[in-house]
Amino acid sequence: MSFDRYRKERPKIQMQFADLKRGLQSISAEEWAALPEVGDLVRRKGDKNSRFKDRFTAAPSIVTVGAGFGASVDAASGYATSIDPRMTGSLSTIDPSNANSGTITDLVQFGQGRNKVLGLKLDQMSDSVSGKSTVDPKGYLTDLNSVITKTDAEISDIKKARQLLRSVITTNPKHAPGWIAAARLEEVAQKIVAARELAAKGCEECPKSEDVWLESARLNSTENAKIILATAVRQIPTSVKIWLRAAALETDSKAKKRVLRRALEFIPNSVKIWKAAVSLEEDQEDARILLSRAVECVPLSTELWLALARLETYENAKKVLNKARESIPTSHEIWITAAKLEEQQGQIPERVDILIKNAVKVLSAKGSTIDREAWLKEAEACEGEGFVVTAQAIVKATIGMDVDDDDRLTTWLEDAESSVSRGCVATARAIFAHTLSMFPQEASVWRKAASLEKSHGTSASLEEILQRAVRYCPQAEVLWLMGAKEKWLSGDLMGAKGILEAAFEANPNSEQIWLAAIKLEVETHEYVRAQLLLQKARTKADTDRVWMKSVMLERQLGNFDKAIELVNQALAKFPTFGKLWLIKSQIEESQGNIVGARETLAKAVKAVPRSSSLNVTIWISTARLEERAGQLIKARAVLEKARLLNPKEPEVWLEAIRIESRAGNKAVSDALISKALQECPTSGLLWAEAILSESRPQRKARSKDALLKCENDPAVLVTVARLFWSEGKSDKARNWFARAVKVNPDLGDSWAWWLKFESVQEGDNSKSIQEVVDKCIAAEPHHGEKWQLFSKDMKNIGKSTEQILKLVAATLPSTV
């Protein structure tokens, strides 16, 4: 019973439509066939456009004529009223509503029609009254591109600023900067007409403000600006800026002169207007007359007095400068100009000196505030203008001002170096001359002065200062040697010998002078005289270097027995001098006495203290001797012992790495590189070897690590330059080679690599090669692993720096 009640309250759908189904019994077959299908009322996915099958869009009512587009054209409007059915084109479509008719629509013609519409619109914008077009048809689109589109934020800022400035000029209309700011705001907003109106209103409200008038003139055209400035000078006749602006607007020279002379009637004491008026005068006499009147009107202007003096004759110029000194007693420029005038007339330097001394005295009495630094700047300015005597006179008179006696030497040397750095050689020379007059016994000052003459002077001036130097400092060996070297380089061998003979008299026991004299005899192939000098030197200057030079000369001459005898005597006196041990081992090895050379080096290792840099060299020489003798195991053992005794010496690690590389043990050499970099992480030699030991893809990353550890090491810089060279980046490679030789110009290997690079890139006769050679000769390098192999080879004794450089470069590879 409960289920029947439930079904009665909630019947099924088929039960709800049961009465309607019973009604279908009375429908006939024709009525049933006429019922519509359900699918016809639903849009299916595959037939989206079925509803628009019979919809068509009409063509525009106005179609322009273009290349046979219209079949008929309205004469009044110029528009086509129908489309020619015969037209054809490359782009065309068939009317889908009438596909069988063959009617074709040409889309190219529609594009031509669009251009025609644009032209008609431009024509409609022409002025029908004057007949002149208000728009340039050709530049129309270009002008559109030049329009600056502002963002919403900028527009908002402009509106806020406009509102703020409107409030300013409304509440305080006599405030000129407000009008100027408002006008410039409109100019930024590209509303030039509004900007001009605001500027004009500002001129009305603030007629005594020259800035408003100048702003208004700037915003207007040239003709309008002239009218505005004419009104301005009536309001403010004493404004220099307005008069100068008015003169600048004139294009004719006569008109400019007329404006400026009119200005001088109102402002006769304006220096700027007088200078502008004088600059327009083409005739020198007219300018002189104008300046004569100018100094009367403006007697306190130094510029006008000096300009007048320059236009006068010598006698009249002196009178003008005397009047100027009376008018402006505290002006140092007038005194300096007077000194220049005397120098220009060829007066003796003493007269210029007296004039500058009087100037300093008078100006100090008158209370002038010019200090010592300002005087030195004036001296450098005079030198720049070519008045060297005046510059030197200023230095003599003022270099000692406000300097304590204890600080004079240091201060003056700093002043000289500063002048040299600015290219003022004559000023620096004058400072050195005054310093030497006060400190004639200071050899360091003489050396600096001689270096200045060597770099910027002549050979005569250098010789003169060196002769004076040795008179005051006869014990300064370096000054004697500089003089002898300059004579030798100039080819005057007798003069060099004469200087050294005088040096012997002043310094009979000087090692440096003895060695210089011996070197001079060897260079001139006077070997007998050199042997006699060495024999005397060993008694009078009994030093290790003198004995070493004696051994080297006998070795050079082939007297090996005499050389061995001398080296044994020397080692008895100087057992800790490592070079003597090395020379002895080299002589013994060259004679085939490998056992003797091995014993000599074994004694040397014990005799030379570990603190000496030669101790490492002896260990390396021992290992190389064993390697050349075919005893590779002994060589390894020697280097192993050397590493234990000197764990922080990169040269020992490098030699061990290279021995393994030469033996073909790549794995062992790589392991040694890793250990070496742990012990010596900042060694450029080891990093350079590590870079070259890597494969090509890894070298760049390795070079970055090297530069982080030792950025300014020449070995790393040269290796990086070689990497750039291998990649074909010539400019970068050249820059890195230049950087390497700048860091350490004494390293000959860097110069040799640079020369090799230039010879491969540019050829043997290029200008760049000669530049590298010249710079190397000036640097005179003495160190470098490959450089010393050639420079100390007995076959190359006596060869020049250029010859050694080319020999080293010839042995270097052209690839990495």
Side-chain angles (χ1 to χ4, degrees), residues 186-315:
E186 298 300 337
E187 182 185 10
V188 171
Q190 297 181 352
K191 295 185 177 181
I192 191 66
V193 175
R196 290 172 180 172
E197 291 176 354
L198 284 170
K201 188 68 179 297
C203 293
E204 295 175 3
E205 296 291 342
C206 309
K208 299 301 180 182
S209 173
E210 62 180 8
D211 292 334
V212 175
W213 289 105
L214 291 172
E215 185 69 16
S216 180
R218 186 184 68 83
L219 292 171
N220 281 273
S221 61
T222 303
E223 295 301 324
N224 291 337
K226 291 180 181 179
I227 298 171
I228 292 169
L229 293 178
T231 307
V233 295
R234 286 195 291 271
Q235 296 289 337
I236 320 173
T238 58
S239 173
V240 176
K241 291 182 180 179
I242 291 177
W243 282 109
L244 291 176
R245 180 58 182 161
L249 289 176
E250 300 292 342
T251 55
D252 183 34
S253 178
K254 291 182 179 179
K256 289 178 182 288
K257 292 179 183 179
R258 185 167 57 250
V259 172
L260 292 174
R261 293 189 180 185
R262 179 66 175 168
L264 289 172
E265 295 178 6
F266 292 95
I267 324 170
N269 59 347
S270 173
V271 177
K272 290 184 178 180
I273 295 179
W274 279 112
K275 288 171 65 177
V278 171
S279 64
L280 291 175
E281 296 296 336
E282 299 176 357
D283 186 22
Q284 185 173 342
E285 184 63 22
D286 293 340
R288 188 187 63 79
I289 296 171
L290 202 59
L291 282 170
S292 300
R293 176 60 180 163
V295 295
E296 294 176 4
C297 296
V298 195
L300 298 180
S301 173
T302 304
E303 293 180 84
L304 296 178
W305 281 108
L306 298 181
L308 178 60
R310 282 194 290 268
L311 295 178
E312 294 286 359
T313 60
Y314 172 64
E315 296 298 332

Side-chain angles (χ1 to χ4, degrees), residues 649-659 676 685-686 689 785:
E649 292 293 339
E651 290 83 2
V652 179
W653 286 99
L654 181 62
E655 187 62 27
I657 293 166
R658 289 181 176 174
I659 280 183
L685 290 173
L686 293 175
E689 189 70 20
E785 180 183 2

Side-chain angles (χ1 to χ4, degrees), residues 551-616:
V551 175
M552 290 177 65
L553 179 61
E554 298 299 335
R555 179 187 177 189
Q556 179 181 348
L557 296 176
N559 303 326
F560 297 109
D561 294 337
K562 181 68 173 176
I564 291 292
E565 180 184 350
L566 286 174
V567 78
N568 288 331
Q569 295 176 19
L571 286 172
K573 292 186 175 185
F574 311 102
T576 60
F577 190 48
K579 288 187 177 181
L580 290 172
W581 292 104
L582 289 171
I583 293 172
K584 182 181 179 182
S585 68
Q586 290 169 5
I587 294 174
E588 289 173 338
E589 185 182 3
S590 65
Q591 295 297 305
N593 187 5
I594 304 298
V595 176
R598 185 181 291 121
E599 292 176 355
T600 299
L601 290 173
K603 294 177 182 178
V605 168
K606 298 176 182 178
V608 178
R610 196 182 303 172
S611 58
S612 174
S613 60
L614 287 173
N615 184 271
V616 174

Side-chain angles (χ1 to χ4, degrees), residues 701-737:
R702 199 68 158 167
S703 63
K704 290 181 180 178
D705 296 338
L707 289 173
L708 290 175
K709 293 291 185 180
C710 41
E711 181 181 1
N712 292 320
D713 190 279
V716 174
L717 297 177
V718 168
T719 305
V720 173
R722 292 172 62 190
L723 292 182
F724 283 124
W725 180 14
S726 65
E727 294 173 0
K729 299 176 181 179
S730 301
D731 293 337
K732 286 188 176 182
R734 186 175 289 109
N735 291 335
W736 281 82
F737 279 125

Side-chain angles (χ1 to χ4, degrees), residues 784-803:
E785 180 183 2
K786 297 184 182 298
W787 183 272
Q788 289 181 318
L789 288 177
F790 285 87
S791 63
K792 294 186 177 182
D793 191 344
M794 301 308 297
K795 300 176 183 178
N796 300 324
I797 294 295
K799 289 187 177 180
S800 63
T801 302
E802 180 178 357
Q803 292 173 323

Side-chain angles (χ1 to χ4, degrees), residues 107-381:
L107 298 181
V108 174
Q109 302 297 337
F110 277 101
Q112 295 175 352
R114 181 193 59 188
N115 297 337
K116 200 72 173 181
V117 170
L118 179 61
L120 290 173
K121 287 183 178 180
L122 293 173
D123 294 338
Q124 290 172 359
M125 296 175 69
S126 61
D127 188 355
S128 59
V129 177
S130 61
K132 296 181 180 179
S133 177
T134 58
V135 178
D136 178 14
K138 293 183 179 179
Y140 179 71
L141 296 178
T142 306
D143 292 340
L144 289 178
N145 290 332
S146 65
V147 175
I148 301 175
T149 305
K150 297 186 178 296
T151 62
D152 294 340
E154 291 176 338
I155 293 172
S156 177
D157 292 341
I158 290 174
K159 288 181 178 179
K160 290 178 181 178
R162 185 181 289 121
Q163 185 177 1
L164 179 62
L165 291 173
R166 186 181 296 114
S167 175
V168 170
I169 60 180
T170 303
T171 56
N172 188 6
K174 301 300 180 182
H175 185 60
W179 292 102
I180 295 172
R184 290 184 178 176
L185 177 64
E186 298 300 337
E187 182 185 10
V188 171
Q190 297 181 352
K191 295 185 177 181
I192 191 66
V193 175
R196 290 172 180 172
E197 291 176 354
L198 284 170
K201 188 68 179 297
C203 293
E204 295 175 3
E205 296 291 342
C206 309
K208 299 301 180 182
S209 173
E210 62 180 8
D211 292 334
V212 175
W213 289 105
L214 291 172
E215 185 69 16
S216 180
R218 186 184 68 83
L219 292 171
N220 281 273
S221 61
T222 303
E223 295 301 324
N224 291 337
K226 291 180 181 179
I227 298 171
I228 292 169
L229 293 178
T231 307
V233 295
R234 286 195 291 271
Q235 296 289 337
I236 320 173
T238 58
S239 173
V240 176
K241 291 182 180 179
I242 291 177
W243 282 109
L244 291 176
R245 180 58 182 161
L249 289 176
E250 300 292 342
T251 55
D252 183 34
S253 178
K254 291 182 179 179
K256 289 178 182 288
K257 292 179 183 179
R258 185 167 57 250
V259 172
L260 292 174
R261 293 189 180 185
R262 179 66 175 168
L264 289 172
E265 295 178 6
F266 292 95
I267 324 170
N269 59 347
S270 173
V271 177
K272 290 184 178 180
I273 295 179
W274 279 112
K275 288 171 65 177
V278 171
S279 64
L280 291 175
E281 296 296 336
E282 299 176 357
D283 186 22
Q284 185 173 342
E285 184 63 22
D286 293 340
R288 188 187 63 79
I289 296 171
L290 202 59
L291 282 170
S292 300
R293 176 60 180 163
V295 295
E296 294 176 4
C297 296
V298 195
L300 298 180
S301 173
T302 304
E303 293 180 84
L304 296 178
W305 281 108
L306 298 181
L308 178 60
R310 282 194 290 268
L311 295 178
E312 294 286 359
T313 60
Y314 172 64
E315 296 298 332
N316 290 337
K318 290 170 64 177
K319 295 178 182 178
V320 168
L321 291 175
N322 289 331
K323 290 181 182 179
R325 281 201 294 267
E326 295 174 1
S327 301
I328 317 171
T330 59
S331 173
H332 64 279
E333 292 95 340
I334 297 174
W335 287 95
I336 293 174
T337 303
K340 292 178 182 178
L341 182 64
E342 297 295 336
E343 181 181 355
Q344 193 173 16
Q345 287 300 118
Q347 299 294 341
I348 58 176
E350 287 76 11
R351 186 165 182 173
V352 178
D353 292 342
I354 294 171
L355 188 60
I356 294 297
K357 287 180 181 178
N358 292 336
V360 175
K361 188 184 299 183
V362 171
L363 289 172
S364 300
K366 296 292 183 180
S368 175
T369 58
I370 183 171
D371 57 3
R372 176 175 165 279
E373 285 72 18
W375 277 113
L376 291 179
K377 288 182 180 179
E378 291 292 341
E380 293 177 356

